[in-house]
Amino acid sequence: MQVVTSSGIEDIVDTDLFISGREIEGSLGAHNTAPCLQWCHENKSRLKKTKSTLEFNLHTQNFIELIRTRDYMGAISYAQKHMVESEGMTKEKLQETMALLAFRPSTQCSKYMGLFSEERWQELVLEFRSSNYELHHLNAESLLSTVLQSGLSAIKTHQCYSATEKSGDCPVCNEPLNTLATPLPFSHCTQSRLICRISGEIMNEHNSPMMLPNGNVYGEHALKEMMAVEGIVTCPRTKDKFWLDQALKVYVM
């Protein structure tokens, strides 16, 4: 909100949508389903079109909490009133949920232990967030993240993950972008270009690639500039020192 207000873009940002969404997520985090159920009621027809199971899962959680307090009659009454006709209900889900009446919250039965787990509240938060985004045609991932990953994938090469081949001028070679780009595909290059590790310039007929006696290749311009300043050529990788006339021109076919 501070960024929106300071930038003066209140009219083009759906701040109310995100504020209300955060409030509902907060209530679910506090184990309160009422605001979310109210949201489901207000968007009932739209949720039905998307075949959302959020409403049923919310009622299921309320049912579980009644069992947790050993209010079994209350749980049965709640199921009869709210769960039978709630959106997202299926016969199989209802049977599985009602079977919880025969178990205690401390059960070690794997099938029902997960239903009693406190992690279900976080699952409800994520399900609400997903449903909210879907109803308003929002992406779960920010546009900035999508554009950034597209750009990283376009320049990502295998050298970005080699300890000896990384370049200080390459965004992907440096953290934290190197970690962010890890699951992304490598770039597809139909034409390769040789880049001087020292200067970052393209090596071509105007800046010939020169190979030092240790096998490392750098641009002719960078080696001549280093020779003029230091009086000798120092390989930045191995720190070996050579005379410029020891370097051989490389021809790429």
Side-chain angles (χ1 to χ4, degrees), residues 9-25:
I9 56 175
E10 296 93 334
D11 295 337
I12 60 174
V13 179
D14 295 326
T15 52
D16 292 339
L17 171 64
F18 292 102
I19 290 174
S20 62
R22 177 168 293 184
E23 290 175 350
I24 292 175
E25 290 182 16

Side-chain angles (χ1 to χ4, degrees), residues 22-56:
R22 177 168 293 184
E23 290 175 350
I24 292 175
E25 290 182 16
S27 67
L28 289 174
H31 296 190
N32 179 14
T33 62
C36 194
L37 284 170
Q38 178 62 30
W39 180 86
C40 289
H41 178 73
E42 295 171 356
N43 298 278
K44 192 176 185 67
S45 59
R46 299 169 67 187
L47 289 172
K48 186 175 182 179
K49 291 180 180 179
T50 61
K51 298 181 180 180
S52 172
T53 61
L54 177 60
E55 182 181 354
F56 177 77

